[in-house]
Amino acid sequence: MTGVQTCALPIFEEDYLKLESFCIAHDLILEDNQAATILSFSYNAGWQGFLSSSMARDLISKNIEKVTTDLLKWNKIRINGNLVFSAGLFNRRMQESKCFIDEGQCA
């Protein structure tokens, strides 16, 4: 195990346990790539950001096909108190969306 893996595991373990509890509570079964996408998003947006998102609501409602559309909505950053489109964040969300759909697209 590399030093990066050793440092990263405790950070993601907490989020993984939260995701696992979320899935159990809502009777969800996610593929590994889908779980990886949710973990990536929640790491960046925060677990509360995920829980309050349309993504979480659609997962709970079993509208899995809508999750990628929901994910792409999170493409803005705050500058001087205003939400502004971020091409970099949009690209990140596109990659996460591809990963959610197809495990082969996870980088």
Side-chain angles (χ1 to χ4, degrees), residues 11-80:
I11 294 169
F12 287 112
E13 182 176 20
E14 183 178 337
D15 285 345
Y16 176 80
L17 293 173
K18 289 176 184 176
L19 179 58
E20 185 177 51
S21 294
F22 177 83
C23 289
I24 290 168
H26 300 290
D27 195 30
L28 292 170
I29 298 173
L30 298 177
E31 301 293 331
D32 287 346
N33 54 303
Q34 294 170 327
T37 299
I38 301 303
L39 287 172
S40 174
F41 174 81
S42 66
Y43 178 77
N44 289 280
W47 187 250
Q48 289 305 317
F50 166 70
L51 289 178
S52 66
S53 72
S54 54
M55 217 175 2
R57 289 190 299 277
D58 282 333
L59 284 170
I60 291 167
S61 299
K62 310 292 192 279
N63 291 326
I64 304 296
E65 67 283 350
K66 291 182 69 177
V67 171
T68 56
T69 303
D70 295 334
L71 189 57
L72 293 174
K73 294 175 185 176
W74 290 73
N75 61 12
K76 295 174 181 66
I77 58 174
R78 195 168 295 280
I79 299 178
N80 297 324

Side-chain angles (χ1 to χ4, degrees), residues 31-38 98-103 106:
E31 301 293 331
D32 287 346
N33 54 303
Q34 294 170 327
T37 299
I38 301 303
K98 290 176 185 177
C99 177
F100 190 85
I101 294 167
D102 178 6
E103 185 174 358
C106 297

